[in-house]
Amino acid sequence: MYRYDEFDHRLVAERIAQFRRQVRRRLAGEITEDQFKPLRLKNGVYLQLHAYMLRVNVPYGTLSSRQLRKFAHIARTYDRGFGHFTTRQNIQYHWIRLEQVPDILEELASVEITTIQSSGNCVRNITSDQYAGVARDELADPRVYCELLRQYSVLHPEFSYLPRKFKIAVTGSPNDRAAVAVHDIGLRMHRNAAGETGFEVLVGGGLGRTPYIAHTIRDWVAPEDLLAYVESILRIYNIYGRRDNIHKARIKIIVNQLGIDRYRELVEEDFAASKDTPRPELPPDEIDRIAAFFAPPPYEALDDITDELDALAAGDARFARWLRHNVAPHKQPGYAIVNVTLKAPGAVPGDITAEQMDALADLADEYSFGELRVNHRQNLVLPYVRQRDLHTVWSKLDALVLATPNLNLLSDVISCPGLDYCALANARSLPVARDISARFVDVDRLAAIGPVTINVSGCMNACGHHHVGNIGILGVDKRGKEFFQLTLGGSSDRNAALGDRLGPGLAQEEVPDAIEAIVDRYLELREEGERFLDTYRRVGIEPFKEAVYGVAEERAIA
Amino acid sequence: MTGLVRNGELVEDRFVDASGAEALPESGAVIVGLEQWQAHRDALLLRGEPLGIKLRSDQMPQAIAGDIEHFDVIALEFPKFRDGRAYSYARLLRERYGYKKELRAVGEVLLEQLHFMLRCGFDAFEIRDPDPLGAYRAALSDYTVWYQPTGDGRPTAMQLRRQRLQQHG
Amino acid sequence: MKQMVIANHLADGFVVFLGPDDRWCRWIGEGRVLEDPAEAEAALATAKRHEADNVVVDPTLIEVTIDEAGLPRPVEIREAIRAFGPTTGAGSGGNAFSDVVGR
């Protein structure tokens, strides 16, 4: 993974020193809250319901054991003994004191972790595929370009006061695990006719109040032009993006207002004109230099041991379930990708204690070349596990309650923090998530249901990404009472789609029953090999509407 | 107090900002708005005195790209500090249209932004502080590392790294 | 209508209530219940002075009812969560007060 050099260290140190001064000035009353708020947001410091919240970047989801231990230390020393992984490959602490933030930032900097631009109207954490570098279906490791984009976007003098936040995601695989189609800029690596690797560039995707799927602005951008092309997209957004209404300020709004053709025209014009002026070039040797940081680890030459694993699984049903659901095939023979689920029945999705983090760091050191990943569903990954260590790793994870075998299954629920923590929320999302995971405990039943994503958001800002959940749940406030609206059919993969509204909002107690009804109806209707999403796309929403609201029955009675 | 810092010095503003006025002063260095420039271009050029123009954040510099040689100062407004359009406008004026004279940041200019503004091509700043020059100098010393190239010619981290590699073989 | 003044402490962000003697307390049970609009406005004005003095951020008036045990309970769920902690309980780092309000 990338290692800071003196330039990176110095920039971060200067940033922290600046923020330390700003905090001191705020506490002394030399600057007001209005003046201070954008400064603290640019360092990831939110004031939420109970305390300050600190959002920490895990750049493109790659984490070292040393960094994870530091996260545990922060949780223990400055917070209440736990941290929360988000849907954008960040970790959040929800009980932070402002006066301690500069010290926390220094501690994080000592392990090359920052909170720079984790909030604010600027380019945020660049996110990517959690299986980068190890997935069998990968074309190229996207993290090389994520790191280049990260440096490019940090404290960019022209783009630090964009109309609104800006999120970029990169995938190096045709199976997009980074949800590029719902980002402000999505980058899909692929090969052109000449066999060269480059980027399809998408713009204007996003969730929230007005969700959109991104448009392709260019089929092909060569790697050496990537930063300059992104610069042109950002420049046109900075100039044309709306600043009259905070809810209309994202790039998705202006792209759809102008139309993708006009937006493209403006970007291409700027890109052509910028050729003779200083622009961020990306020479091949620089790409190679960064790529060297992402070289594969010193793998042993091993064979796949499928038969042995099958035999182990045959003798141990619990291990078998975990092996089947949480372990993904690895590019390197003899190795496997282990998903560490933070989704025990009744758990708060994404929460992890300091003890679990320390123990997991030890496991990473012993079994995964000291490296972990953060995915987009509030789970973690050990990316380099030898197949012959799988049973041992499983039993150790199991002892830590980190081995619930439900990856991508119904109880692998994603949830934002919601009204229990967040000042923006309208409803509590965590109790709903917990109720669902507590209701669907039988792993065999979960396996029979198959892959289905449930996403819960506590307000229209959609931090739970409910629009792209196969089942989406949106909490709303109606006359002081919490209601939950369900959507079906969302997905963030190659055929990204936004969910369709199922019907009137349900009370919190009614949600698990509704999920049961939806699942039962799916099981009745599905054909051979169909996942929930496939069946939904085939039969439409009506059968599920009836299942939940019983309309057909009412009609029959009337 | 509001002070004008230009090229790192506290200076008197010799220009009168007439951009919001009904009528222009009879003589003297004056800054006009875009509408005034477009309406009275010939008359303004005939004045034979230093001339400036102030653009609002919703006025793109393309509108004056062909006329920049006539201006001794171009002022770009930041109506609210979070309105960041003028950062792009400044770069376009300096790097695309070749403007070489005074480029002034006016409006809600925060100390934390001076660094970015300078890198985008501004060389003059209306600073609201009891000690404008002191505040300017302090703000500028905040950072010594830059990742991105702009027209200011400061070497980026990437460039410095490559230089170093070349030196050490 | 009974009210109280709620805010966040600037330095640590914790939720506080305006108490007797115009001091801020973390436990709602120690806060001052304001019985009429005039008293409420005066308390808010005091709180706003504290905001200008950089003690608290964003003080507001909230409506409360008094339960059988004499404890003030905010009427709005958001304020109840601020007063008593996340409803997800102590296991997720909710503060001890979250046991009081339960689900």
PDB file of all heavy atoms in Angstrom, chain A residues 5-6 8 10 14 18 21-22 151-152 154 158 238 285, chain B residues 82 84 88 91 95-96 112 142-144 147-148 161-162 164:
ATOM      1  N   ASP A   5       5.738   9.928   1.781  1.00  0.00           N
ATOM      2  CA  ASP A   5       7.114  10.426   1.831  1.00  0.00           C
ATOM      3  C   ASP A   5       7.104  11.760   2.580  1.00  0.00           C
ATOM      4  O   ASP A   5       6.071  12.166   3.127  1.00  0.00           O
ATOM      5  CB  ASP A   5       7.726  10.535   0.420  1.00  0.00           C
ATOM      6  CG  ASP A   5       7.002  11.542  -0.461  1.00  0.00           C
ATOM      7  OD1 ASP A   5       6.173  12.337   0.025  1.00  0.00           O
ATOM      8  OD2 ASP A   5       7.281  11.534  -1.681  1.00  0.00           O
ATOM      9  N   GLU A   6       8.223  12.440   2.582  1.00  0.00           N
ATOM     10  CA  GLU A   6       8.329  13.657   3.402  1.00  0.00           C
ATOM     11  C   GLU A   6       7.319  14.702   2.970  1.00  0.00           C
ATOM     12  O   GLU A   6       6.861  15.504   3.781  1.00  0.00           O
ATOM     13  CB  GLU A   6       9.743  14.230   3.332  1.00  0.00           C
ATOM     14  CG  GLU A   6      10.128  14.614   1.926  1.00  0.00           C
ATOM     15  CD  GLU A   6      11.279  15.610   1.839  1.00  0.00           C
ATOM     16  OE1 GLU A   6      11.086  16.759   2.282  1.00  0.00           O
ATOM     17  OE2 GLU A   6      12.338  15.199   1.334  1.00  0.00           O
ATOM     18  N   ASP A   8       4.204  14.195   1.731  1.00  0.00           N
ATOM     19  CA  ASP A   8       2.897  13.844   2.272  1.00  0.00           C
ATOM     20  C   ASP A   8       2.842  14.150   3.764  1.00  0.00           C
ATOM     21  O   ASP A   8       1.864  14.729   4.251  1.00  0.00           O
ATOM     22  CB  ASP A   8       2.603  12.345   2.058  1.00  0.00           C
ATOM     23  CG  ASP A   8       2.705  11.934   0.592  1.00  0.00           C
ATOM     24  OD1 ASP A   8       2.038  12.587  -0.235  1.00  0.00           O
ATOM     25  OD2 ASP A   8       3.418  10.962   0.295  1.00  0.00           O
ATOM     26  N   ARG A  10       4.582  16.256   5.469  1.00  0.00           N
ATOM     27  CA  ARG A  10       4.651  17.684   5.778  1.00  0.00           C
ATOM     28  C   ARG A  10       3.305  18.353   5.516  1.00  0.00           C
ATOM     29  O   ARG A  10       2.852  19.173   6.309  1.00  0.00           O
ATOM     30  CB  ARG A  10       5.765  18.339   4.959  1.00  0.00           C
ATOM     31  CG  ARG A  10       5.995  19.790   5.362  1.00  0.00           C
ATOM     32  CD  ARG A  10       7.403  20.337   5.098  1.00  0.00           C
ATOM     33  NE  ARG A  10       8.097  19.728   3.997  1.00  0.00           N
ATOM     34  CZ  ARG A  10       8.339  20.304   2.822  1.00  0.00           C
ATOM     35  NH1 ARG A  10       7.902  21.519   2.579  1.00  0.00           N
ATOM     36  NH2 ARG A  10       9.007  19.667   1.883  1.00  0.00           N
ATOM     37  N   GLU A  14       1.170  20.263   8.353  1.00  0.00           N
ATOM     38  CA  GLU A  14       0.802  21.676   8.205  1.00  0.00           C
ATOM     39  C   GLU A  14      -0.704  21.845   8.337  1.00  0.00           C
ATOM     40  O   GLU A  14      -1.186  22.799   8.958  1.00  0.00           O
ATOM     41  CB  GLU A  14       1.312  22.202   6.855  1.00  0.00           C
ATOM     42  CG  GLU A  14       2.837  22.392   6.861  1.00  0.00           C
ATOM     43  CD  GLU A  14       3.441  22.704   5.493  1.00  0.00           C
ATOM     44  OE1 GLU A  14       2.744  22.562   4.469  1.00  0.00           O
ATOM     45  OE2 GLU A  14       4.624  23.080   5.463  1.00  0.00           O
ATOM     46  N   GLN A  18      -2.585  23.972  11.271  1.00  0.00           N
ATOM     47  CA  GLN A  18      -3.547  25.010  10.930  1.00  0.00           C
ATOM     48  C   GLN A  18      -4.860  24.774  11.687  1.00  0.00           C
ATOM     49  O   GLN A  18      -5.438  25.706  12.259  1.00  0.00           O
ATOM     50  CB  GLN A  18      -3.798  25.008   9.417  1.00  0.00           C
ATOM     51  CG  GLN A  18      -4.694  26.142   8.935  1.00  0.00           C
ATOM     52  CD  GLN A  18      -5.121  25.969   7.489  1.00  0.00           C
ATOM     53  OE1 GLN A  18      -5.594  24.909   7.095  1.00  0.00           O
ATOM     54  NE2 GLN A  18      -4.970  27.007   6.692  1.00  0.00           N
ATOM     55  N   ARG A  21      -4.702  25.649  15.336  1.00  0.00           N
ATOM     56  CA  ARG A  21      -4.838  27.097  15.552  1.00  0.00           C
ATOM     57  C   ARG A  21      -6.308  27.498  15.429  1.00  0.00           C
ATOM     58  O   ARG A  21      -6.810  28.318  16.189  1.00  0.00           O
ATOM     59  CB  ARG A  21      -4.021  27.868  14.509  1.00  0.00           C
ATOM     60  CG  ARG A  21      -2.526  27.924  14.801  1.00  0.00           C
ATOM     61  CD  ARG A  21      -1.848  28.973  13.924  1.00  0.00           C
ATOM     62  NE  ARG A  21      -1.912  28.650  12.510  1.00  0.00           N
ATOM     63  CZ  ARG A  21      -1.049  27.851  11.867  1.00  0.00           C
ATOM     64  NH1 ARG A  21      -0.054  27.302  12.529  1.00  0.00           N
ATOM     65  NH2 ARG A  21      -1.173  27.610  10.577  1.00  0.00           N
ATOM     66  N   GLN A  22      -7.009  26.926  14.449  1.00  0.00           N
ATOM     67  CA  GLN A  22      -8.401  27.290  14.241  1.00  0.00           C
ATOM     68  C   GLN A  22      -9.262  26.864  15.435  1.00  0.00           C
ATOM     69  O   GLN A  22     -10.149  27.598  15.859  1.00  0.00           O
ATOM     70  CB  GLN A  22      -8.923  26.651  12.941  1.00  0.00           C
ATOM     71  CG  GLN A  22      -8.315  27.286  11.692  1.00  0.00           C
ATOM     72  CD  GLN A  22      -8.491  26.447  10.430  1.00  0.00           C
ATOM     73  OE1 GLN A  22      -8.905  25.289  10.494  1.00  0.00           O
ATOM     74  NE2 GLN A  22      -8.161  27.024   9.278  1.00  0.00           N
ATOM     75  N   GLN A 151      -4.136  12.372  -4.033  1.00  0.00           N
ATOM     76  CA  GLN A 151      -3.162  13.456  -3.916  1.00  0.00           C
ATOM     77  C   GLN A 151      -3.603  14.657  -4.754  1.00  0.00           C
ATOM     78  O   GLN A 151      -3.507  15.802  -4.322  1.00  0.00           O
ATOM     79  CB  GLN A 151      -1.775  12.975  -4.347  1.00  0.00           C
ATOM     80  CG  GLN A 151      -1.215  11.917  -3.403  1.00  0.00           C
ATOM     81  CD  GLN A 151       0.238  11.594  -3.669  1.00  0.00           C
ATOM     82  OE1 GLN A 151       0.973  12.383  -4.259  1.00  0.00           O
ATOM     83  NE2 GLN A 151       0.667  10.410  -3.237  1.00  0.00           N
ATOM     84  N   TYR A 152      -4.110  14.359  -5.935  1.00  0.00           N
ATOM     85  CA  TYR A 152      -4.541  15.441  -6.821  1.00  0.00           C
ATOM     86  C   TYR A 152      -5.621  16.306  -6.170  1.00  0.00           C
ATOM     87  O   TYR A 152      -5.686  17.518  -6.356  1.00  0.00           O
ATOM     88  CB  TYR A 152      -5.060  14.850  -8.143  1.00  0.00           C
ATOM     89  CG  TYR A 152      -5.818  15.858  -8.957  1.00  0.00           C
ATOM     90  CD1 TYR A 152      -5.150  16.904  -9.591  1.00  0.00           C
ATOM     91  CD2 TYR A 152      -7.205  15.820  -9.026  1.00  0.00           C
ATOM     92  CE1 TYR A 152      -5.847  17.875 -10.288  1.00  0.00           C
ATOM     93  CE2 TYR A 152      -7.909  16.784  -9.728  1.00  0.00           C
ATOM     94  CZ  TYR A 152      -7.227  17.808 -10.354  1.00  0.00           C
ATOM     95  OH  TYR A 152      -7.927  18.768 -11.033  1.00  0.00           O
ATOM     96  N   VAL A 154      -6.429  16.678  -2.846  1.00  0.00           N
ATOM     97  CA  VAL A 154      -6.232  17.215  -1.491  1.00  0.00           C
ATOM     98  C   VAL A 154      -5.762  18.665  -1.546  1.00  0.00           C
ATOM     99  O   VAL A 154      -4.738  18.981  -2.140  1.00  0.00           O
ATOM    100  CB  VAL A 154      -5.222  16.340  -0.711  1.00  0.00           C
ATOM    101  CG1 VAL A 154      -4.720  17.076   0.527  1.00  0.00           C
ATOM    102  CG2 VAL A 154      -5.869  15.029  -0.302  1.00  0.00           C
ATOM    103  N   GLU A 158      -8.125  25.325  -6.627  1.00  0.00           N
ATOM    104  CA  GLU A 158      -9.256  25.799  -7.425  1.00  0.00           C
ATOM    105  C   GLU A 158     -10.573  25.185  -6.969  1.00  0.00           C
ATOM    106  O   GLU A 158     -11.637  25.779  -7.174  1.00  0.00           O
ATOM    107  CB  GLU A 158      -9.018  25.441  -8.904  1.00  0.00           C
ATOM    108  CG  GLU A 158      -9.998  26.070  -9.879  1.00  0.00           C
ATOM    109  CD  GLU A 158      -9.730  25.677 -11.320  1.00  0.00           C
ATOM    110  OE1 GLU A 158      -8.660  25.100 -11.606  1.00  0.00           O
ATOM    111  OE2 GLU A 158     -10.603  25.940 -12.174  1.00  0.00           O
ATOM    112  N   ASN A 238     -17.596  23.535 -11.068  1.00  0.00           N
ATOM    113  CA  ASN A 238     -17.348  24.667 -10.177  1.00  0.00           C
ATOM    114  C   ASN A 238     -17.962  25.947 -10.735  1.00  0.00           C
ATOM    115  O   ASN A 238     -18.514  26.753  -9.991  1.00  0.00           O
ATOM    116  CB  ASN A 238     -15.840  24.858  -9.972  1.00  0.00           C
ATOM    117  CG  ASN A 238     -15.517  25.851  -8.856  1.00  0.00           C
ATOM    118  OD1 ASN A 238     -16.135  25.818  -7.798  1.00  0.00           O
ATOM    119  ND2 ASN A 238     -14.568  26.738  -9.099  1.00  0.00           N
ATOM    120  N   ASP A 285       5.899   7.114 -16.024  1.00  0.00           N
ATOM    121  CA  ASP A 285       6.804   6.694 -14.948  1.00  0.00           C
ATOM    122  C   ASP A 285       6.229   7.031 -13.576  1.00  0.00           C
ATOM    123  O   ASP A 285       6.516   6.335 -12.602  1.00  0.00           O
ATOM    124  CB  ASP A 285       8.209   7.298 -15.125  1.00  0.00           C
ATOM    125  CG  ASP A 285       8.176   8.804 -15.185  1.00  0.00           C
ATOM    126  OD1 ASP A 285       7.574   9.331 -16.142  1.00  0.00           O
ATOM    127  OD2 ASP A 285       8.760   9.457 -14.296  1.00  0.00           O
TER     128      ASP A 285
ATOM    129  N   ARG B  82     -18.095  30.846   0.582  1.00  0.00           N
ATOM    130  CA  ARG B  82     -18.230  29.490   0.036  1.00  0.00           C
ATOM    131  C   ARG B  82     -18.513  29.482  -1.460  1.00  0.00           C
ATOM    132  O   ARG B  82     -18.561  28.438  -2.078  1.00  0.00           O
ATOM    133  CB  ARG B  82     -19.286  28.689   0.793  1.00  0.00           C
ATOM    134  CG  ARG B  82     -20.675  29.293   0.824  1.00  0.00           C
ATOM    135  CD  ARG B  82     -21.635  28.320   1.496  1.00  0.00           C
ATOM    136  NE  ARG B  82     -21.317  28.120   2.898  1.00  0.00           N
ATOM    137  CZ  ARG B  82     -21.826  28.820   3.910  1.00  0.00           C
ATOM    138  NH1 ARG B  82     -22.683  29.787   3.669  1.00  0.00           N
ATOM    139  NH2 ARG B  82     -21.479  28.565   5.146  1.00  0.00           N
ATOM    140  N   GLY B  84     -17.133  29.540  -4.658  1.00  0.00           N
ATOM    141  CA  GLY B  84     -15.761  29.347  -5.133  1.00  0.00           C
ATOM    142  C   GLY B  84     -15.572  29.511  -6.630  1.00  0.00           C
ATOM    143  O   GLY B  84     -14.551  29.080  -7.173  1.00  0.00           O
ATOM    144  N   SER B  88     -11.794  29.482 -10.263  1.00  0.00           N
ATOM    145  CA  SER B  88     -11.685  29.047 -11.657  1.00  0.00           C
ATOM    146  C   SER B  88     -11.523  30.234 -12.592  1.00  0.00           C
ATOM    147  O   SER B  88     -10.720  30.202 -13.523  1.00  0.00           O
ATOM    148  CB  SER B  88     -12.918  28.235 -12.058  1.00  0.00           C
ATOM    149  OG  SER B  88     -12.938  26.974 -11.417  1.00  0.00           O
ATOM    150  N   ARG B  91      -7.938  31.458 -12.639  1.00  0.00           N
ATOM    151  CA  ARG B  91      -7.036  30.611 -13.422  1.00  0.00           C
ATOM    152  C   ARG B  91      -7.258  30.820 -14.916  1.00  0.00           C
ATOM    153  O   ARG B  91      -6.291  30.893 -15.694  1.00  0.00           O
ATOM    154  CB  ARG B  91      -7.233  29.138 -13.063  1.00  0.00           C
ATOM    155  CG  ARG B  91      -6.694  28.765 -11.691  1.00  0.00           C
ATOM    156  CD  ARG B  91      -6.544  27.267 -11.545  1.00  0.00           C
ATOM    157  NE  ARG B  91      -5.461  26.760 -12.382  1.00  0.00           N
ATOM    158  CZ  ARG B  91      -5.224  25.466 -12.588  1.00  0.00           C
ATOM    159  NH1 ARG B  91      -6.004  24.563 -12.038  1.00  0.00           N
ATOM    160  NH2 ARG B  91      -4.227  25.089 -13.350  1.00  0.00           N
ATOM    161  N   GLU B  95      -4.197  31.947 -16.975  1.00  0.00           N
ATOM    162  CA  GLU B  95      -3.549  30.870 -17.731  1.00  0.00           C
ATOM    163  C   GLU B  95      -4.116  30.714 -19.136  1.00  0.00           C
ATOM    164  O   GLU B  95      -3.399  30.305 -20.046  1.00  0.00           O
ATOM    165  CB  GLU B  95      -3.692  29.555 -16.958  1.00  0.00           C
ATOM    166  CG  GLU B  95      -3.042  29.595 -15.569  1.00  0.00           C
ATOM    167  CD  GLU B  95      -3.378  28.380 -14.728  1.00  0.00           C
ATOM    168  OE1 GLU B  95      -3.576  27.284 -15.296  1.00  0.00           O
ATOM    169  OE2 GLU B  95      -3.459  28.499 -13.490  1.00  0.00           O
ATOM    170  N   ARG B  96      -5.356  31.047 -19.310  1.00  0.00           N
ATOM    171  CA  ARG B  96      -5.976  30.833 -20.620  1.00  0.00           C
ATOM    172  C   ARG B  96      -5.965  32.101 -21.443  1.00  0.00           C
ATOM    173  O   ARG B  96      -5.676  32.086 -22.625  1.00  0.00           O
ATOM    174  CB  ARG B  96      -7.399  30.400 -20.350  1.00  0.00           C
ATOM    175  CG  ARG B  96      -8.114  29.286 -21.051  1.00  0.00           C
ATOM    176  CD  ARG B  96      -7.458  27.991 -21.293  1.00  0.00           C
ATOM    177  NE  ARG B  96      -7.584  26.999 -20.249  1.00  0.00           N
ATOM    178  CZ  ARG B  96      -8.680  26.299 -19.984  1.00  0.00           C
ATOM    179  NH1 ARG B  96      -9.795  26.494 -20.650  1.00  0.00           N
ATOM    180  NH2 ARG B  96      -8.681  25.400 -19.031  1.00  0.00           N
ATOM    181  N   GLU B 112      -8.025  31.825   5.564  1.00  0.00           N
ATOM    182  CA  GLU B 112      -7.752  30.440   5.164  1.00  0.00           C
ATOM    183  C   GLU B 112      -7.742  30.256   3.656  1.00  0.00           C
ATOM    184  O   GLU B 112      -7.258  29.261   3.154  1.00  0.00           O
ATOM    185  CB  GLU B 112      -8.825  29.506   5.732  1.00  0.00           C
ATOM    186  CG  GLU B 112      -8.644  29.106   7.173  1.00  0.00           C
ATOM    187  CD  GLU B 112      -8.996  30.229   8.139  1.00  0.00           C
ATOM    188  OE1 GLU B 112      -9.710  31.171   7.736  1.00  0.00           O
ATOM    189  OE2 GLU B 112      -8.562  30.157   9.293  1.00  0.00           O
ATOM    190  N   ASP B 142       1.176  28.977   6.038  1.00  0.00           N
ATOM    191  CA  ASP B 142       0.533  27.739   6.500  1.00  0.00           C
ATOM    192  C   ASP B 142       1.013  26.498   5.764  1.00  0.00           C
ATOM    193  O   ASP B 142       1.144  25.441   6.354  1.00  0.00           O
ATOM    194  CB  ASP B 142      -0.995  27.845   6.327  1.00  0.00           C
ATOM    195  CG  ASP B 142      -1.652  28.594   7.467  1.00  0.00           C
ATOM    196  OD1 ASP B 142      -0.961  28.907   8.457  1.00  0.00           O
ATOM    197  OD2 ASP B 142      -2.859  28.866   7.370  1.00  0.00           O
ATOM    198  N   TYR B 143       1.220  26.623   4.459  1.00  0.00           N
ATOM    199  CA  TYR B 143       1.551  25.432   3.667  1.00  0.00           C
ATOM    200  C   TYR B 143       2.813  25.619   2.854  1.00  0.00           C
ATOM    201  O   TYR B 143       3.058  26.689   2.311  1.00  0.00           O
ATOM    202  CB  TYR B 143       0.397  25.083   2.711  1.00  0.00           C
ATOM    203  CG  TYR B 143      -0.822  24.574   3.431  1.00  0.00           C
ATOM    204  CD1 TYR B 143      -1.905  25.407   3.663  1.00  0.00           C
ATOM    205  CD2 TYR B 143      -0.875  23.262   3.893  1.00  0.00           C
ATOM    206  CE1 TYR B 143      -3.016  24.951   4.344  1.00  0.00           C
ATOM    207  CE2 TYR B 143      -1.978  22.801   4.573  1.00  0.00           C
ATOM    208  CZ  TYR B 143      -3.048  23.644   4.799  1.00  0.00           C
ATOM    209  OH  TYR B 143      -4.138  23.186   5.471  1.00  0.00           O
ATOM    210  N   THR B 144       3.588  24.543   2.743  1.00  0.00           N
ATOM    211  CA  THR B 144       4.775  24.584   1.889  1.00  0.00           C
ATOM    212  C   THR B 144       4.784  23.432   0.883  1.00  0.00           C
ATOM    213  O   THR B 144       5.769  23.239   0.170  1.00  0.00           O
ATOM    214  CB  THR B 144       6.061  24.503   2.741  1.00  0.00           C
ATOM    215  OG1 THR B 144       6.044  23.243   3.445  1.00  0.00           O
ATOM    216  CG2 THR B 144       6.144  25.629   3.734  1.00  0.00           C
ATOM    217  N   TYR B 147       0.240  19.677  -4.169  1.00  0.00           N
ATOM    218  CA  TYR B 147       0.157  18.531  -5.059  1.00  0.00           C
ATOM    219  C   TYR B 147      -0.157  18.948  -6.493  1.00  0.00           C
ATOM    220  O   TYR B 147       0.179  18.238  -7.422  1.00  0.00           O
ATOM    221  CB  TYR B 147      -0.923  17.562  -4.576  1.00  0.00           C
ATOM    222  CG  TYR B 147      -0.568  16.734  -3.354  1.00  0.00           C
ATOM    223  CD1 TYR B 147      -1.458  16.642  -2.290  1.00  0.00           C
ATOM    224  CD2 TYR B 147       0.620  16.014  -3.271  1.00  0.00           C
ATOM    225  CE1 TYR B 147      -1.170  15.846  -1.175  1.00  0.00           C
ATOM    226  CE2 TYR B 147       0.915  15.217  -2.167  1.00  0.00           C
ATOM    227  CZ  TYR B 147       0.015  15.139  -1.122  1.00  0.00           C
ATOM    228  OH  TYR B 147       0.291  14.357  -0.021  1.00  0.00           O
ATOM    229  N   GLN B 148      -0.851  20.080  -6.682  1.00  0.00           N
ATOM    230  CA  GLN B 148      -1.415  20.394  -7.992  1.00  0.00           C
ATOM    231  C   GLN B 148      -0.665  21.537  -8.673  1.00  0.00           C
ATOM    232  O   GLN B 148      -0.313  22.518  -8.032  1.00  0.00           O
ATOM    233  CB  GLN B 148      -2.870  20.838  -7.846  1.00  0.00           C
ATOM    234  CG  GLN B 148      -3.755  19.905  -7.052  1.00  0.00           C
ATOM    235  CD  GLN B 148      -3.644  20.142  -5.551  1.00  0.00           C
ATOM    236  OE1 GLN B 148      -2.924  21.037  -5.093  1.00  0.00           O
ATOM    237  NE2 GLN B 148      -4.339  19.338  -4.783  1.00  0.00           N
ATOM    238  N   ARG B 161       9.630  15.306  -6.449  1.00  0.00           N
ATOM    239  CA  ARG B 161      10.026  13.903  -6.314  1.00  0.00           C
ATOM    240  C   ARG B 161      10.818  13.443  -7.529  1.00  0.00           C
ATOM    241  O   ARG B 161      11.832  12.740  -7.392  1.00  0.00           O
ATOM    242  CB  ARG B 161       8.782  13.010  -6.190  1.00  0.00           C
ATOM    243  CG  ARG B 161       8.119  13.067  -4.862  1.00  0.00           C
ATOM    244  CD  ARG B 161       6.708  12.501  -4.942  1.00  0.00           C
ATOM    245  NE  ARG B 161       6.067  12.558  -3.645  1.00  0.00           N
ATOM    246  CZ  ARG B 161       4.762  12.581  -3.459  1.00  0.00           C
ATOM    247  NH1 ARG B 161       3.938  12.554  -4.493  1.00  0.00           N
ATOM    248  NH2 ARG B 161       4.272  12.630  -2.239  1.00  0.00           N
ATOM    249  N   ARG B 162      10.366  13.848  -8.708  1.00  0.00           N
ATOM    250  CA  ARG B 162      11.045  13.409  -9.932  1.00  0.00           C
ATOM    251  C   ARG B 162      12.427  14.034 -10.036  1.00  0.00           C
ATOM    252  O   ARG B 162      13.381  13.380 -10.441  1.00  0.00           O
ATOM    253  CB  ARG B 162      10.207  13.748 -11.146  1.00  0.00           C
ATOM    254  CG  ARG B 162       8.843  13.077 -11.070  1.00  0.00           C
ATOM    255  CD  ARG B 162       7.985  13.377 -12.259  1.00  0.00           C
ATOM    256  NE  ARG B 162       8.286  12.442 -13.324  1.00  0.00           N
ATOM    257  CZ  ARG B 162       8.143  12.707 -14.606  1.00  0.00           C
ATOM    258  NH1 ARG B 162       7.727  13.894 -14.992  1.00  0.00           N
ATOM    259  NH2 ARG B 162       8.422  11.813 -15.509  1.00  0.00           N
ATOM    260  N   ARG B 164      14.279  14.869  -7.605  1.00  0.00           N
ATOM    261  CA  ARG B 164      15.119  14.178  -6.626  1.00  0.00           C
ATOM    262  C   ARG B 164      15.593  12.841  -7.177  1.00  0.00           C
ATOM    263  O   ARG B 164      16.756  12.473  -7.044  1.00  0.00           O
ATOM    264  CB  ARG B 164      14.307  13.972  -5.352  1.00  0.00           C
ATOM    265  CG  ARG B 164      15.080  13.274  -4.256  1.00  0.00           C
ATOM    266  CD  ARG B 164      14.346  13.395  -2.960  1.00  0.00           C
ATOM    267  NE  ARG B 164      14.229  14.792  -2.561  1.00  0.00           N
ATOM    268  CZ  ARG B 164      13.598  15.196  -1.481  1.00  0.00           C
ATOM    269  NH1 ARG B 164      13.011  14.320  -0.711  1.00  0.00           N
ATOM    270  NH2 ARG B 164      13.530  16.467  -1.169  1.00  0.00           N
TER     271      ARG B 164
END
